[in-house]
Amino acid sequence: MKQSRRSGAQVGGKATERSADDVSSHNAEIESVLKALADIRADMVADLDRSRPRLADIHPDYHRSARNLLHYLALRRHDMRPLQQRLAALGLSSLGRAESHVLATVDKVLEVLHRLMNPVSRPAAGEAAPVNFALGEQLLAEHTDTLLGPATAGRKVRIMVTMPSEAADDPLLVHNLLQQGMECMRINCAHDDAAAWLRMIEHLRQAERKLGRSCRVAMDLAGPKLRTGPLEPGPEVVRIRPGRDRYGRVLTPARVWLTAEASPQPPPAPASASLPVPAAWMRGLRNGASVEFTDARGARRKFTIVDVTREGCWAEINKTAYIVPGTRLRHACGAGKAHDRACRVGALPVTENVLLLQKGDLLILTRDLKPGRPATHDSAGRILTPALIGCTLPEVFDDARAGESIWFDDGKIGGIIEKVEKYRVLVRIIQEHLKPVQLRPDKGINLPDSALRIAALTDKDIEDLSFVARHADIVELSFANSADDVAMLQQQLAGLGSRHPAIVLKIETQRSFHNLPDMLLTAMRAPCCGVMIARGDLAVECGFERLAEVQEEILWLCEAAHVPVIWATQVLETLAKEGRPSRAEISDAAMGLRAECVMLNKGPYVLSAMQVLDDILRRMQAHQSKKQSMLRELHLAHLLPIEPEAGVESGDD
């Protein structure tokens, strides 16, 4: 019995020792975490002190927001992941939702850590947090209301819609969009003109009065457009081809419209081709007559005349033919001389030219806008002279360097700059495709690795600003790359009178992403500003695989600055253009809830896209608020059958 008691005492003693060791280890961990977080807080406060000159020009409405942004940037200069894991292990906030009230969040965690160390202890008083938990959300909501106007009942996230050109002459379209819940009309100054823009706005004002709703007007400055130049015209050739089934059998003959060369008339019905011929020759044609010719390939072909009218003649053909100007046509009607029964086809429209490029090809970019041309090949198909095309902003040649990447046509064609010469740049195509890809005139060029010294405001933008300042609530600054670009727009607006539209920074280049904090602080000199994540060019500039990461970081920074974000580019694009969305588009649209506004682009089914987007945003706001999952009651949780307890039998007693 004594032995048993002694053994029990030994076990109890060891348990007590382990418990004491655990407590000591736990306290040491709390103390270590407390010191690490306190050091980070000290860095945050010191960094703000060093940055106080930046705050001098900040508008009073954004002063607390600017301080919160600087605190957040100081926090994110540390790799917080190890400390986050340690905080989570202690059952504390891991700072993952600190953006809008960063110093207040750190202070609250420090307070809890102090209490864990000593229940009666409080942290030493330091600089008060500029933004507490409630104020952070309140400031973002107020700034959003100021920029984008009040939200539609039942939906916090606003919807912006880009106007198509036809909106200038279709008041019903504008009325229906406003009725569906559009809170912001976007007009792209790269298209149409001031007269068309004014009609769009007048249609909106009329719809506002009828529906009793309000809607902001945003105007997007075109900005500097780096695009491919023109190409030489393609050959004057018309291919005429009948309709065939899968076995090559003719289902429908090709219909050809013959019209007088001197006074051509359009075909009264769809035609495979329209050929200009002498009127005198055409007067000799009769129904059922045959017109023989040899096409551009040397193939002998024959038209059959099926209808003769005063405006022209219809002919049909059951074989494919290629017609060029000067092709000799001959019919056998009438008793006239042979040369009266023959004629030559007149001038034909030139075809569009394209450059065909594949991996390994050399492409020459020129400084001028002289028409480019496709590559020439020898009889074995080897390139003799590389393809050549100009670009719209030759000054970029001064900033491009060998070894830097270059992309064309929204990232479809990728290359590396091999050499920069005085009048041209040599580009080696490196992106692989199953077949050669086409490069056309007026396609975008991106130089993500090059430090381009191009001003964000063009002469056209400055000219358009006089209209924008009078009529728009928001001006979107395209291809803004630096704080100087933002300051330049502010300066231009200041010279246009007292009405200043709010500036929205379009983040669409790698440089603008890297300079976003500085650009935000410059934009915050005004009482209202915003940011658009322009994901089209941004994906090309940063790399498609990095887009998700980049857009996430933009959202974090803007939330820390209490600056509203517009989620843009290709949202429900397939639905807007084709009438049916892809599955991935639905998930992407739901991600738009992380922003304060989602932008839809134009398309024939944009009203359907509005309805779907409105439904998605309403549903998702019950589940998500910024980065935070909202744990509403989950219907699925009620659907799992409850198993009977073990040992309990069912049935009658």
Side-chain angles (χ1 to χ4, degrees), residues 88 102 130 133 167 182 193 195 207 217 233 313 324 367 430 453 455 478 488 517 540 548-549 614:
V102 60
F133 289 85
M182 174 179 71
D193 55 24
V217 173
C313 299
V324 296
R367 274 185 178 267
I430 61 169
R453 293 168 293 177
S478 298
M488 176 60 73
V540 179
E549 176 188 14
D614 178 77

Side-chain angles (χ1 to χ4, degrees), residues 234-458:
E236 295 178 70
V237 60
V238 172
R239 183 176 70 166
I240 302 170
R241 184 173 59 177
R244 299 179 185 273
D245 63 15
R246 293 184 178 182
Y247 299 98
R249 296 175 299 209
V250 174
L251 294 174
T252 55
R255 299 199 304 177
V256 178
W257 175 248
L258 302 176
T259 183
E261 185 176 18
S263 56
Q265 300 296 315
S272 302
S274 180
L275 303 181
V277 294
W281 177 84
M282 198 165 53
R283 283 195 291 269
L285 297 177
R286 301 290 182 269
N287 284 345
S290 295
V291 176
E292 298 177 348
F293 62 96
T294 301
D295 79 354
R297 303 167 300 167
R300 298 181 66 180
R301 293 290 184 261
K302 180 175 68 175
F303 291 138
T304 300
I305 303 300
V306 295
D307 191 20
V308 177
T309 71
R310 294 178 60 183
E311 291 77 22
C313 299
W314 283 107
E316 291 183 347
I317 185 171
N318 287 320
K319 292 185 177 181
T320 299
Y322 290 79
I323 307 290
V324 296
T327 298
R328 188 172 184 270
L329 307 180
R330 182 180 181 280
H331 69 78
C333 299
K337 297 179 180 179
H339 67 267
D340 293 332
R341 296 195 295 270
C343 76
R344 294 192 180 275
V345 174
L348 296 172
V350 296
T351 56
E352 180 191 28
N353 220 341
V354 297
L355 305 185
L356 293 178
L357 301 170
Q358 56 188 346
K359 185 177 180 180
D361 285 353
L362 188 67
L363 173 65
I364 299 175
L365 274 180
T366 64
R367 274 185 178 267
D368 55 44
L369 285 176
K370 291 180 180 177
R373 50 167 178 71
T376 58
H377 299 78
D378 63 14
S379 57
R382 294 184 295 262
I383 292 178
L384 294 172
T385 306
L388 178 145
I389 197 167
C391 71
T392 55
L393 297 175
E395 57 267 34
V396 302
F397 281 55
D398 300 328
D399 301 320
R401 300 289 181 268
E404 294 175 341
S405 60
I406 183 169
W407 295 88
F408 300 90
D409 194 8
D410 203 23
K412 294 183 178 69
I413 304 170
I416 292 290
I417 296 174
E418 284 197 347
K419 189 177 182 182
V420 179
E421 299 177 351
K422 186 174 181 180
Y423 296 109
R424 61 183 196 167
V425 170
L426 307 185
V427 175
R428 183 69 61 182
I429 303 301
I430 61 169
Q431 197 174 18
E432 192 163 6
H433 294 272
L434 293 176
K435 58 182 181 180
V437 289
Q438 297 180 343
L439 180 60
R440 289 182 162 84
D442 198 35
K443 294 300 180 182
I445 303 174
N446 292 88
L447 293 158
D449 302 334
S450 306
L452 303 181
R453 293 168 293 177
I454 302 175
L457 288 177
T458 66

